[in-house]
Amino acid sequence: MFAWDPDRIYAKYLIETAWPLGQAAEIMAGEQSAGTFVRVAGETDELRARHGARVESIVELDSARVPSLPGAGLPKGHKGEPVYRRAEVWLSWPLDNLGPSLPNLMATVAGNLYELKPFSGLKLLDIKLPEAFLDEYPGPQFGVAGTRRLSGVQRLPLIGTIIKPSVGLTPEQTAERVRQLVEAGIDFIKDDELQADGPHCPFLERLDRVMRVINEHAERTGKKVMYAFNITGDIEKMLRRHDAVVEAGGTCVMVSLNGTGLAAVAYLRRRCVLPIHGHRNGWGMLSRHPLLGMSYIAWQKFWRLAGVDHMHVNGLRNKFCEDDDSVIASARECLTPMFDRPGRGCEVMPVFSSGQWAGQAPETYRRLGSTDLIYACGGGIMAHPGGIAAGVASVRQAWEAALEGQSLEEYARTHVELAQALAKFGS
Amino acid sequence: MFAWDPDRIYAKYLIETAWPLGQAAEIMAGEQSAGTFVRVAGETDELRARHGARVESIVELDSARVPSLPGAGLPKGHKGEPVYRRAEVWLSWPLDNLGPSLPNLMATVAGNLYELKPFSGLKLLDIKLPEAFLDEYPGPQFGVAGTRRLSGVQRLPLIGTIIKPSVGLTPEQTAERVRQLVEAGIDFIKDDELQADGPHCPFLERLDRVMRVINEHAERTGKKVMYAFNITGDIEKMLRRHDAVVEAGGTCVMVSLNGTGLAAVAYLRRRCVLPIHGHRNGWGMLSRHPLLGMSYIAWQKFWRLAGVDHMHVNGLRNKFCEDDDSVIASARECLTPMFDRPGRGCEVMPVFSSGQWAGQAPETYRRLGSTDLIYACGGGIMAHPGGIAAGVASVRQAWEAALEGQSLEEYARTHVELAQALAKFGS
C-alpha cells in the first residue's frame, strides 16, 4: 500500500475498461484535476506535478468480454475482441486544489468522470479526507450517545416504527396512531419520507397533535418517545419546521438527503439543535448497478461530515434488492470513525428498516457487534397477533435474547410475545 | 392517452420486470404513496382512492432474458425461464399528498422505488407538474433573453470557453488567460467545475483579478464578457461569493448542481441577482445506465423550476459517452416550455461543450433549430493555428455559415480562420 499524506484527498474506485489499466487511471486523474483532453498552454509539468491528481495504486481484478455499461470506447487502433478489465484504483488530490468543501469535493471525486469514454464501469468505493474537513464541518451533533440520552434508551437498540399508511392519514389520525405506539412502549417513531407538509396533513398541525400525545405520555411515564418529524423541503421551511419541533418539545427531525442536497443539510446542521435523521430514499439510483455510481461506504461519509446523526442502512432479509452483506457493511461503517481525532470520528447511528421484526435481531447483533442502532419494524410490530404492545415486546425480547446469547426459540419458551411473533412471522 | 388532471403530479418511467406489467406498476404506485408491503390498519379503500398513486398508462416495449440490473426477484411461484418485460409507465399522484415542494417531489417520484425487488430496471423518464409549483418557485430569472441582454450577444450563440488547466493557475495566471480571451473577442468564459475557492486560487482574488480585466475591456470596447464564476460550496460561502461577484461587476455565477443540491440552489436563486450557470457534473451517475436513474428530460425540470438559467447538455461528437441524439433531445428540452402559463415556461439556455469547435455548428443549428445556446469550445479555440482570436472567429464564422445555410467548406473559401480550423480539426 501507499503512504497517506495528511494534506491529500483520497478516493478509491472500481473501474472497468478496455484501455490498459494504468492509462485508464491516468485519464481519470487528468480529467479530474489539471488535465484536459488535449494538453493546453500553461499546463506545465510543474503545474501537473503540484495540482494533478495522482494514481496511488491499481489492483487488477477480473475481466469481462461484454462491457457493463454502454457508450464506452476502445483505445485508438485497438484490434480484435476487446477485454474489459476491472480494477480497484486509488487516486489522490492535493487539498490545495479545492479546500475542505463538501460540494466541491463531490465535483472532484464524483463529477464528470462517470461519462469518460474509456470506462464501461466506474464506481466510487471510498474516500479518505484530510482533517481540514473536520475543522470546517461540525459532523454529527448527537450521534449515538446524544440519541441515547434524548430517548432514554441505554442498552438495547431504539425499537422503532414508521407511521403507515405513508400518506393519507390526517394529523388527528396520525396522533391517534402515535398514541397507540407510545402506549405500546415504543422508543422511536418516524414520519414516512412521503409525508412532509402536504395540504392533506399539514406539518404544524401534525406536529401539534403528535407532540401533545408524546409530551403527555412523557409527563405521565417519564419516557419521551423520539419522533423523527419529516421537515424535508426548501430551506426556509425546513428551518421553520425545525424551530417548531423544538418549540413543541420534539427531539428529532428527518430529512430526505438526496432530494434536499448536501449544502442544505450542512446549512441546517449549523442551525439545528436536534438529531438529524437522514433518509436515504433515491439511494438506489446511485447504488443499484455494481459498476456505476457510489458505494454506501463513500456516500455516507459526505452526510456524516455534513452533520447527519442517523443514517438509513436497510435491514437484514429486507424487502428490497440489497443483500445482507451489503447492509451489514453499511451499518458497520456508520459506527466506524472516519477520522482519528479523539471524539471526532463522526460516528452515526445506523437505522435498520424494511421487513424487520424480532426474527433478524440475533443475526443483526452478531454481525454488527453492537446495539447502537435504531431498529424500525412495520408489520413486525403492527401486525403482531397480540397487538402493538406485544409487537414491541417481541422485538425487545428478541434483542434481549441476542444479548444473552440465547436462540430466539429458547428465549421464546419463557416469553410469549416472542413466541407469537415466531409463530406468525417466522417461516 | 389519459386526461391530465391539473391537480395531479405525473411521472413517466421505463421499467423492466419479470412480474406481470400491471402488477409491477401497481407495486410502484403503492410503494410511493399510500401502500405498504403488507396492508395495514387504517389503509382503507377510501384512503387509497384519495391518496394512492394511480397507474395512468402502460405501454409494453421489448423484453430480455437476462435482467439488466442485479438483485431483482421473481414473482411468487414463478416457474421456468423468466422473461423481463420492458414498458413505459405513467403514474400520477394527488398534489394534496405533498404540496408543491421540489425536495419532497424528488422523494416521491425518485425515492425508494429504485430498490424495489420486482424491478430489474427502472428509470424516471419525465415529469409533468401542476401549476402550483410555478406559484411556489420562481424558475429561471434570466433565461435566454436575460443572458443575451447581459452579454450583449443577440443573434448568434454565445461563443464561450472554459479556463484550462482546470486547476493549478493562480489568480494572476487566470486573469492573464482571460485577457487573451476577451481581446480575442469571446462572449463567455467559465471557471472549470474543479476550480472554486481552493487555497491555491482563492475565489475573491481570482474574481478581483479577472473582473479588472473584464471591466477594463468593457470600458474600452463596450462589450462586457460574461464570466461564470464557480461559487459552488456551502450556502453562506456561495452567497458571499455571489455578492462579491455582483460588487465586482460580474454577470454570472456557476454552481455544480449535484454536489450542492436542490434546496440550496433554490435558496440561492431567491437571493441571486445574476444568471445561474448550472453545471451537471456527476450527472453520469444518474444517466449512464439505460435502465437506471433518471433521464435528462426529467432531471433538468427540477433545476429549471429551482431557478437555474443555463444548463449543460454536452455537445455533438463529444468526448464523453453520450450520443448525439441524446444531446439534441436534452438541448431541445431546455428550450421547451415546461408550463403553459405565458412567460413562465421556465426555458433555459442550453450549454454545449466537450470537444466543440467550428465543425459542429451547422449540425447543432440544424438539429436544434435555434441559436439560443452557449457554445463552449476548448482546444477548438485555444489550439487554433492562427491563435485565440482566430479560434473565436472560426467558431463565429461557422455559426454565420450555419445561419446562412452554407456549408462550412463553402463559407471557408472567403473566411480564412474557418478554413484554418477545418484544416486542423476536421478529419
Side-chain angles (χ1 to χ4, degrees), chain A residues 119 136-137 234 237 288, chain B residues 119 136-137 234 237 288:
Chain A
F119 298 94
E136 183 69 23
Y137 291 95
D234 285 302
K237 292 187 178 172
R288 181 84 190 272
Chain B
F119 298 95
E136 182 70 23
Y137 291 94
D234 286 301
K237 292 186 178 174
R288 181 84 189 272

Side-chain angles (χ1 to χ4, degrees), chain A residues 357-358 384-385 394 409 412 416-427:
Chain A
W357 62 285
H384 190 283
S394 73
E409 292 66 27
V416 61
E417 294 87 352
L418 180 56
Q420 289 173 310
L422 290 175
K424 171 141 187 193
F425 305 120
S427 58

Side-chain angles (χ1 to χ4, degrees), chain A residues 30-38 40-43 47 50-51 68-72 95-104 106-108 110-112 114-121 136-137 164-169 173 177 192-201 230 232-239 241 256 258-264 266-267 270-271 279-290 292-294 314 318-322 354-355 379 382-383, chain B residues 30-38 40-43 47 50-51 68-72 95-104 106-108 110-112 114-121 136-137 164-169 173 177 192-201 230 232-239 241 256 258-264 266-267 270-271 279-290 292-294 314 318-322 354-355 379 382-383:
Chain A
E31 172 68 17
Q32 290 309 105
S33 64
T36 48
F37 287 111
V38 189
V40 297
E43 196 182 327
L47 182 147
R50 280 195 54 176
H51 298 285
S68 293
L69 298 171
L95 177 62
D96 207 27
N97 282 15
L98 57 149
S101 161
L102 288 174
N104 298 106
M106 192 65 95
T108 299
N112 263 343
Y114 291 98
E115 297 171 87
L116 290 173
K117 208 136 194 159
F119 298 94
S120 55
E136 183 69 23
Y137 291 95
K164 296 278 181 184
S166 317
V167 283
L169 298 179
Q173 290 168 329
R177 187 65 50 98
D192 192 90
E193 81 274 12
L194 300 173
Q195 184 67 277
D197 194 12
H200 181 69
C201 188
N230 182 13
T232 301
D234 285 302
I235 288 180
E236 300 90 335
K237 292 187 178 172
M238 281 207 296
L239 294 178
R241 289 175 199 141
S256 286
N258 290 308
T260 304
L262 208 42
Y267 189 76
R270 294 180 195 276
R271 284 148 190 81
H279 199 292
R280 75 176 192 178
N281 66 79
W283 161 243
M285 258 192 285
L286 307 181
S287 67
R288 181 84 190 272
H289 193 286
L292 181 63
M294 210 183 280
N314 210 340
N318 62 76
K319 308 272 185 165
F320 291 110
C321 294
E322 191 178 3
S354 174
M382 302 303 292
Chain B
E31 171 67 18
Q32 290 309 105
S33 63
T36 48
F37 287 111
V38 189
V40 298
E43 194 182 329
L47 182 146
R50 281 195 53 174
H51 298 284
S68 292
L69 297 172
L95 177 62
D96 207 27
N97 281 16
L98 57 149
S101 162
L102 288 174
N104 298 106
M106 192 65 94
T108 298
N112 263 344
Y114 292 97
E115 296 171 88
L116 290 173
K117 209 139 195 156
F119 298 95
S120 55
E136 182 70 23
Y137 291 94
K164 297 275 180 183
S166 317
V167 283
L169 299 179
Q173 290 169 330
R177 187 64 50 99
D192 192 90
E193 81 273 12
L194 300 172
Q195 185 67 277
D197 194 12
H200 181 67
C201 188
N230 182 12
T232 301
D234 286 301
I235 287 180
E236 300 91 334
K237 292 186 178 174
M238 280 207 296
L239 294 177
R241 289 175 199 140
S256 286
N258 291 308
T260 303
L262 208 41
Y267 189 77
R270 294 181 195 275
R271 283 149 191 82
H279 200 292
R280 75 176 193 180
N281 66 79
W283 160 244
M285 256 191 288
L286 306 180
S287 68
R288 181 84 189 272
H289 194 285
L292 180 63
M294 210 183 280
N314 210 340
N318 63 75
K319 308 275 185 166
F320 291 110
C321 295
E322 191 178 3
S354 176
M382 302 303 292

Side-chain angles (χ1 to χ4, degrees), chain B residues 101-289:
Chain B
S101 162
L102 288 174
N104 298 106
L105 176 68
M106 192 65 94
T108 298
V109 302
N112 263 344
L113 77 180
Y114 292 97
E115 296 171 88
L116 290 173
K117 209 139 195 156
F119 298 95
S120 55
L122 199 151
K123 190 166 202 144
L124 176 64
L125 296 182
D126 203 356
I127 53 173
K128 187 171 164 67
L129 303 176
E131 288 204 358
F133 277 88
L134 207 45
D135 299 328
E136 182 70 23
Y137 291 94
Q141 188 173 186
F142 291 87
V144 173
T147 299
R148 287 199 175 283
R149 183 170 45 75
L150 284 177
S151 64
V153 179
Q154 287 309 335
R155 201 171 45 93
L156 297 180
L158 273 68
I159 309 300
T161 194
I162 302 148
I163 297 291
K164 297 275 180 183
S166 317
V167 283
L169 299 179
T170 61
E172 295 87 329
Q173 290 169 330
T174 307
E176 175 52 26
R177 187 64 50 99
V178 170
R179 194 187 57 71
Q180 296 171 341
L181 287 162
V182 299
E183 285 173 4
I186 205 138
D187 302 318
F188 177 91
I189 307 172
K190 63 179 278 294
D191 280 331
D192 192 90
E193 81 273 12
L194 300 172
Q195 185 67 277
D197 194 12
H200 181 67
C201 188
F203 184 87
L204 292 178
E205 209 181 316
R206 183 167 79 252
L207 170 69
D208 177 57
R209 300 269 181 174
V210 166
M211 283 313 300
R212 264 195 250 174
V213 173
I214 287 176
N215 287 331
E216 195 191 275
H217 182 259
E219 273 165 41
R220 208 171 56 238
T221 65
K223 179 183 175 75
K224 181 171 269 190
V225 172
M226 181 174 275
Y227 190 107
F229 287 97
N230 182 12
I231 65 168
T232 301
D234 286 301
I235 287 180
E236 300 91 334
K237 292 186 178 174
M238 280 207 296
L239 294 177
R240 237 179 288 142
R241 289 175 199 140
H242 163 269
D243 294 350
V245 174
V246 176
E247 178 84 10
T251 54
C252 188
V253 293
M254 174 173 123
V255 177
S256 286
L257 302 177
N258 291 308
T260 303
L262 208 41
V265 170
Y267 189 77
L268 169 67
R269 163 63 180 88
R270 294 181 195 275
R271 283 149 191 82
C272 189
V273 299
L274 299 174
I276 300 173
H277 186 86
H279 200 292
R280 75 176 193 180
N281 66 79
W283 160 244
M285 256 191 288
L286 306 180
S287 68
R288 181 84 189 272
H289 194 285

